[in-house]
């Protein structure tokens, strides 16, 4: 297959954005996390938001691929390879966001010589590492032996629970934060449900794009089946959110303050976009069979789902930081560069605020561009490998037919 000019142009643009992200990251390493919008009052920001998003996007893709082998869903086997490629790229992006958020990345090795086994963060590192290894094995076995191979079938039986576990452990990082009002016991089901709908939505977008580029055959029947599954996942996600909101809103419940912030406070735009744009609208579109046969409507709904889950990550993370753990003097040092050079008591505040800086935004764009770049290169190579045996067989059949004539 000849490399098209559009493909080269995409690689060039993504390469430039990746380089810009690396430059911004080096700037952050040189100047510290003070160049970000994070502070002692809001210690997690855009990096952890994107980490949550990409873990879910990855888990959704692997669940679809492994389900094809575990439950013998023949339709899904046709998209297992691009789903695994997408899953691998997304989990690598998620890991990069964690490392970037650490700031002092050169000291990450200390975690391995002095691990705290009671820390959910350590659990997450372990399960993400196992998850990445499973993705790589899946890719190797699928490209070498085929989707119907025994190796793929065995790997899928480990991959499916790992995909559910990786997002559950991520959820427990938040659900076990007893000091934060929003984080609750059903955080893991909420995360897994949103991983299913966002990961499946991204997979649909990618499959349509691959089909349009001529890299992969993607039947309308398969699109309808995946879109129907997406509608079901959206309904489950909405159910869990509804359960949580009802519990918080009930008279006498302890979550009234967080719910007020979500409903009419600082994080309200993200909450309502996720509810209306990320759940209600795409479900109302995809619940009808004729709409699931319309490629444009499926892509539109899928984009809304991914954006809605991104908004969910934002309001879920930042709502808990609006209310500080402890009120009163001397308050919370903001930790920003401006505050570090302030005089008098200017750096001390009872509450903190957060907005991502240009450094964070450029780094995020760089990581996402690197992920897209890796996906394009891997898809171009591995999907061609997948198609090669079929092309060779067709050539052989044509030769046999010609000699017989």
């Amino acid at each position: 297959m000849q490399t098209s000019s559009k493909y080269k142009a995409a690689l060039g643009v993504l390469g430039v954005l990746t380089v810009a992200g690396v430059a911004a990251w080096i700037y952050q390493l040189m100047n510290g996390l003070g160049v970000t919008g994070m502070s002692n009052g809001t210690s997690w920001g855009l990096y952890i938001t994107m980490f949550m998003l990409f873990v879910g996007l990855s888990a959704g893709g692997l669940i679809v691929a492994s389900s094809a082998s575990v439950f013998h869903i023949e339709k899904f086997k046709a998209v297992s390879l691009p789903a695994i490629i997408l899953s691998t790229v997304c989990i690598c992006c998620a890991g990069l966001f964690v490392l970037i958020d650490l700031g002092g990345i050169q000291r990450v090795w200390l975690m391995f010589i002095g691990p705290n086994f009671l820390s959910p963060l350590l659990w997450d590192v372990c399960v993400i590492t196992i998850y990445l290894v499973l993705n790589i094995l899946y890719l190797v076995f699928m490209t070498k032996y085929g989707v119907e191979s025994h190796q793929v079938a065995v790997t899928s039986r480990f991959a499916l629970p790992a995909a559910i576990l990786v997002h559950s452990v991520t959820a427990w990082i938040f659900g076990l934060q007893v000091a934060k009002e929003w984080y609750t016991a059903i955080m893991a089901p909420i995360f897994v449900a949103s991983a299913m709908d966002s990961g499946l939505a991204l997979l649909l977008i990618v499959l349509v794009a691959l089909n349009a580029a001529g890299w992969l055959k993607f039947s309308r029947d398969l699109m309808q089946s995946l879109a129907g599954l997406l509608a079901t996942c959206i309904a489950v996600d909405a159910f869990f959110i509804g359960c949580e909101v009802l519990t918080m809103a009930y008279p006498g419940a302890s979550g009234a303050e967080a719910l007020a912030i979500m409903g009419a406070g600082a994080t309200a735009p993200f909450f309502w976009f996720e509810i209306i744009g990320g759940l209600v609208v795409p479900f109302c579109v995809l619940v009808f069979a004729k709409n699931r046969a319309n490629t444009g409507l499926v892509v539109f709904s899928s984009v809304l789902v991914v954006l809605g889950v991104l908004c969910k990550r934002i309001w879920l993370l930042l709502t808990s930081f609006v209310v500080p753990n402890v009120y009163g003097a001397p308050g919370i040092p903001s930790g920003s560069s401006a505050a570090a050079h302030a005089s008098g008591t200017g750096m001390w505040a009872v509450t903190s605020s957060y907005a991502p800086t240009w450094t964070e935004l450029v780094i995020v764009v760089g990581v996402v561009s690197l992920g897209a770049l890796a996906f394009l290169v891997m898809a171009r190579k591995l999907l061609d490998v997948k198609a090669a045996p079929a092309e060779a067989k067709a050539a052989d059949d044509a030769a046999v037919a010609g000699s017989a004539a």
Side-chain angles (χ1 to χ4, degrees):
M1 183 183 293
Q2 296 294 324
T3 303
S4 67
S5 58
K6 290 183 179 179
Y7 176 70
K8 289 181 178 179
L11 293 184
V13 172
L14 292 173
V16 170
L17 293 176
T18 300
V19 171
V22 172
W25 178 57
I26 294 173
Y27 172 76
Q28 177 180 293
L29 287 177
M30 294 173 61
N31 295 277
L33 289 177
V35 301
T36 71
M38 293 181 286
S39 64
N40 288 356
T42 307
S43 54
W44 286 337
L46 186 59
Y47 299 147
I48 297 301
T49 300
M50 298 304 292
F51 161 69
M52 289 191 289
L53 175 67
F54 273 86
V55 170
L57 294 175
S58 176
L62 186 58
I63 287 171
V64 170
S66 56
S67 296
S69 295
V70 173
F71 301 113
H72 303 288
I73 306 175
E74 294 300 324
K75 289 181 180 180
F76 291 178
K77 290 182 180 180
V79 297
S80 292
L81 183 54
I84 292 298
I85 298 172
L86 189 63
S87 176
T88 305
V89 168
C90 286
I91 198 63
C92 288
C93 289
L96 284 176
F97 280 120
V98 172
L99 294 176
I100 292 168
D101 185 74
L102 289 176
I105 190 175
Q106 69 277 9
R107 293 187 292 273
V108 70
W109 62 275
L110 295 172
M111 180 180 64
F112 299 99
I113 65 172
N116 176 12
F117 294 102
L118 295 179
S119 171
L121 289 171
L122 179 64
W123 306 348
D124 207 37
V125 170
C126 294
V127 75
I128 285 178
T129 302
I130 295 171
Y131 181 86
L132 178 58
V133 171
L134 285 171
N135 269 276
I136 294 172
L137 288 175
Y138 220 135
L139 269 177
V140 172
F141 292 151
M142 193 171 292
T143 54
K144 187 175 182 180
Y145 302 110
V147 70
E148 300 286 353
S149 66
H150 175 70
Q151 292 86 345
V152 169
V154 172
T155 306
S156 65
R157 281 155 178 78
F158 292 95
L160 183 57
I164 296 173
L165 184 61
V166 70
H167 217 36
S168 297
V169 174
T170 302
W172 292 335
I173 293 176
F174 303 95
L176 298 177
Q177 296 287 328
V178 295
K180 298 298 183 181
E181 185 175 13
W182 161 248
Y183 304 147
T184 64
I186 67 167
M187 195 60 62
I190 290 175
F191 270 54
V192 172
S194 61
M196 280 295 300
D197 57 17
S198 62
L200 185 55
L202 181 62
L203 180 60
L204 274 165
I205 296 169
V206 168
L207 291 176
V208 171
L210 291 175
N211 186 56
W215 292 10
L216 180 74
K217 294 297 182 183
F218 181 49
S219 68
R220 189 174 297 274
D221 181 57
L222 178 56
M223 183 184 71
Q224 288 179 277
S225 297
L226 290 173
L229 179 59
L230 177 58
T232 303
C233 294
I234 293 171
V236 173
D237 193 7
F239 170 73
F240 282 125
I241 293 296
C243 289
E244 188 69 355
V245 170
L246 175 63
T247 304
M248 297 171 70
Y250 196 77
S254 60
E257 188 172 12
L259 185 61
I261 296 169
M262 290 158 46
T267 55
F270 303 101
F271 175 76
W272 288 112
F273 180 88
E274 195 249 336
I275 296 299
I276 299 173
L279 295 174
V280 175
V281 173
F283 178 78
C284 290
V285 171
L286 297 177
V287 74
F288 298 103
K290 65 177 181 179
N291 292 340
R292 295 196 295 270
N294 187 311
T295 303
L297 288 177
V298 170
V299 171
F300 169 73
S301 301
S302 299
V303 170
L304 283 180
V305 170
V306 174
L307 292 177
V309 173
L310 172 60
C311 287
K312 175 188 291 184
R313 301 300 181 235
I314 294 172
W315 65 255
L316 191 150
L317 179 69
L318 297 180
T319 295
S320 63
F321 285 108
V322 174
V323 181
N325 294 349
V326 179
Y327 283 105
I332 303 170
S334 71
S336 64
S337 296
H341 298 91
S343 59
T345 59
M347 70 172 292
W348 300 95
V350 175
T351 60
S352 66
S353 60
Y354 172 78
T357 62
W358 71 265
T359 306
E360 292 172 273
L361 294 173
V362 173
I363 289 175
V364 167
V365 170
V367 173
V368 174
S369 298
L370 178 61
L373 186 64
F375 178 83
L376 281 178
V377 173
M378 292 174 68
R380 186 84 178 194
K381 179 177 177 59
L382 297 179
L383 292 179
D384 280 352
V385 169
K386 178 175 181 290
E391 293 171 358
K393 183 177 184 301
D396 290 341
D397 291 343
V400 171
S403 60

